[in-house]
Amino acid sequence: NLQIVKYDENWILNISSVNDKIINNLRKIKSINKDSLLLRSKFFKKQVDMLTTALCGLNEEGKPISNDYLVSRLNFGFWTKLFNKYYESEMWNKCLYKIFKKPIKRGFIESRLHELRRIRNRIAHNECILNLKHTLLEYYDFVIDIVSVIDFSVVDWLQKQMSRDLFK
């Protein structure tokens, strides 16, 4: 969050402005088609809808509207979508890559987060987790992969909390 705040102190509240800027830049490209613009607009609308839901929740609870409260209230889908290719030029290239302690490709983070979100949602909604795309050990490794590029010191703690042997 600190790296993104350097980009824009109120970046979460301003996400719709970021989305509008991306769409306006795309409109200037002659080769972009209307279907692609519509698809991205729908994608961005979902992001704003998630923000609106978080804001309403904070209002109902009488909590102040701040980045810290919003970060805690936004769902995993919101965070996963920030690493989508649609945000590459405006968010990834300007600030998101700074979250990570070592060079990493946006697509790698996006794919890992997407897979983790899928299994997390299946578990949270009591859906079957048999015949998954990956083994449980691979999902464990995805978590370790992401945590290790954010803060390697947390990996040791995490591995003590949940041993890799549990997933074999």
Side-chain angles (χ1 to χ4, degrees):
N1 189 25
L2 294 176
Q3 293 299 330
I4 305 172
V5 168
K6 290 178 187 174
Y7 164 76
D8 178 352
E9 189 173 327
N10 293 309
W11 73 272
I12 297 176
L13 292 172
N14 295 334
I15 197 72
S16 60
S17 297
V18 172
N19 296 346
D20 290 344
K21 183 176 181 180
I22 294 169
I23 292 293
N24 288 334
N25 287 339
L26 288 171
R27 285 191 176 116
K28 296 174 187 172
I29 301 171
K30 292 179 182 177
S31 61
I32 196 93
N33 65 38
K34 289 181 182 181
D35 289 340
S36 180
L37 280 174
L38 182 61
L39 185 65
R40 290 174 192 205
S41 294
K42 286 181 181 180
F43 175 89
F44 292 144
K45 183 183 179 322
K46 288 179 185 177
Q47 256 334 54
V48 172
D49 289 348
M50 288 183 242
L51 173 62
T52 302
T53 299
L55 288 167
C56 288
L58 289 174
N59 282 331
E60 287 173 9
E61 295 171 25
K63 303 277 185 186
I65 305 302
S66 69
N67 280 348
D68 290 340
Y69 276 114
L70 283 170
V71 164
S72 70
R73 290 298 196 283
L74 287 163
N75 64 30
F76 196 21
F78 180 90
W79 300 109
T80 302
K81 287 180 183 302
L82 277 182
F83 294 94
N84 185 279
K85 65 183 177 183
Y86 296 158
Y87 283 114
E88 188 161 18
S89 65
E90 191 56 35
M91 294 292 289
W92 175 261
N93 291 342
K94 292 183 179 179
C95 64
L96 285 177
Y97 75 93
K98 295 176 183 177
I99 294 169
F100 305 98
K101 302 292 186 219
K102 64 181 187 179
I104 192 91
K105 294 192 180 286
R106 180 208 50 79
F108 174 82
I109 296 298
E110 177 189 22
S111 68
R112 291 295 192 253
L113 288 175
H114 178 71
E115 289 301 324
L116 290 171
R117 187 178 60 83
R118 287 181 65 211
I119 191 170
R120 178 247 171 237
N121 286 349
R122 290 183 83 162
I123 292 168
H125 299 290
N126 298 311
E127 295 175 17
C128 180
I129 58 168
L130 300 175
N131 302 317
L132 296 168
K133 186 175 178 181
H134 302 282
T135 66
L136 291 178
L137 194 54
E138 287 173 313
Y139 286 111
Y140 173 86
D141 289 339
F142 291 170
V143 171
I144 298 300
D145 285 347
I146 290 174
V147 172
S148 70
V149 295
I150 295 171
D151 187 346
F152 196 77
S153 66
V154 176
V155 173
D156 291 335
W157 175 85
L158 185 60
Q159 289 173 327
K160 287 175 186 170
Q161 302 308 308
M162 53 180 211
S163 167
R164 194 170 195 272
D165 294 335
L166 293 172
F167 297 89
K168 289 182 180 178

